[in-house]
Each structure stands twice: as structure tokens, then as C-alpha cells.
Amino acid sequence: MRPMGQRDAQLPVVDVGDLTEVVGRIFEDLDRVRPSDRRLPPGIFTPALDAFETDGAVEIAVDLPGTAPDDLRVLISGNVVIVAGGKRPPLPEERSRASFHQVERDFGRFARAIRLTGAFMVAEATAIISNGELRVRIPRIEERRGRDVVVPIRRQ
């Protein structure tokens, strides 16, 4: 992993308000996937997110314990990665039988956007959710500017 430095500062989180239409379509798609009794709650929360560079890729790690893959979408649009979805509360019957002493967990919809700088192989991006963490990896295209390139000469 590359140590914190100037390159890391080039991965700003984007204001999702700039992408309202795209995020709205993602939420509509998510609502179609699940039956109406389990729709995403309307509340909005902000899961913790890290965006960092390794030698060959940019990686985004998002804390999403208890979130199913069907409740998530990762979209790369231009130079922006959008991670959107929702964390569902427990089933209503589970909560109705409970007497809460403390409530701290957030549920609802979320959308996070990270602007990328540089060239990436978007078609080779991967997203894996494991142990409550969504990990998105986007391989970097090797920088070729400033390098000498030997061009072979052929006979005709």
C-alpha cells in the first residue's frame, strides 16, 4: 500500500447532490429488486468510507455490516465512482417484541461518490462484500507519459 501522501489527497469525496438524477435511478432500481414490505427506509445515513491507492489500483472500502449484495450498487460514471444502496432494519416483528435500552445503529439509504484522477481500467473493476465491508478495486492504467518508447521499424 502506498503511504499517505499527495496522491491520496487527489481522491476527493464528491457532493452527491451533483449526481442526484443518477442516484435517484439507482434507488428506484433497488426498490424494484425487493418486495414492498422490505423497501429501503427513507432515512439517509453515511457509512464510513476509505479511498486509497495501491501500486496498481485505487481501492474503496465501505463499512456496511448487515447489508446484502442485492441492496448495493456500484457505478462508475466518467471519473466518479458511486456506491449507493441501503441498510435494512431488522424485520418489524423482531423489533416489536423488543424493549430497547439503547439505539445507535443507522438504517436507510446512502450514496457516496468519489472522484478519481488518472487513467483506470474501468472494465476490470471488481466489488466484493465480505465480513461487513464492501471493497471496490479499480486497476490503474500504467502511466506512459514521460517514458521513452522504442518504436519498432519494419521493412515493407
Side-chain angles (χ1 to χ4, degrees):
M1 200 176 343
R2 180 172 291 147
M4 292 294 287
Q6 190 172 15
R7 278 187 90 101
D8 296 310
Q10 295 178 357
L11 296 173
V13 174
V14 178
D15 179 9
V16 177
D18 298 340
L19 306 164
T20 303
E21 187 176 317
V22 173
V23 171
R25 285 195 310 263
I26 292 171
F27 287 147
E28 286 174 10
D29 179 50
L30 287 169
D31 284 342
R32 279 193 294 272
V33 171
R34 295 287 198 166
S36 60
D37 62 351
R38 290 296 314 249
R39 289 215 167 170
L40 292 170
I44 298 211
F45 80 106
T46 305
L49 174 147
D50 290 337
F52 55 94
E53 292 188 38
T54 63
D55 287 335
V58 165
E59 295 194 32
I60 300 165
V62 187
D63 287 342
L64 294 168
T67 304
D70 287 347
D71 291 333
L72 299 170
R73 296 292 182 273
V74 176
L75 174 72
I76 302 173
S77 178
N79 65 339
V80 177
V81 178
I82 301 169
V83 178
K87 184 175 175 188
R88 297 176 190 282
L91 291 171
E93 60 270 12
E94 293 170 0
R95 295 183 76 107
S96 66
R97 293 188 308 244
S99 239
F100 288 93
H101 293 269
Q102 189 162 338
V103 177
E104 294 182 355
R105 298 184 303 157
D106 290 327
F107 300 99
R109 295 177 174 193
F110 70 89
R112 302 293 310 266
I114 300 90
R115 189 174 310 276
L116 303 178
T117 58
F120 298 90
M121 293 183 278
V122 175
E124 294 182 24
T126 59
I128 298 171
I129 190 160
S130 176
N131 296 322
E133 179 184 78
L134 174 68
R135 180 69 65 121
V136 179
R137 184 177 189 279
I138 308 159
R140 180 176 287 288
I141 294 174
E142 186 177 324
E143 180 64 52
R144 293 181 179 95
R145 287 183 275 178
R147 290 189 182 179
D148 294 335
V149 177
V150 177
V151 179
I153 301 171
R154 298 180 301 146
R155 286 188 191 260
Q156 253 189 315

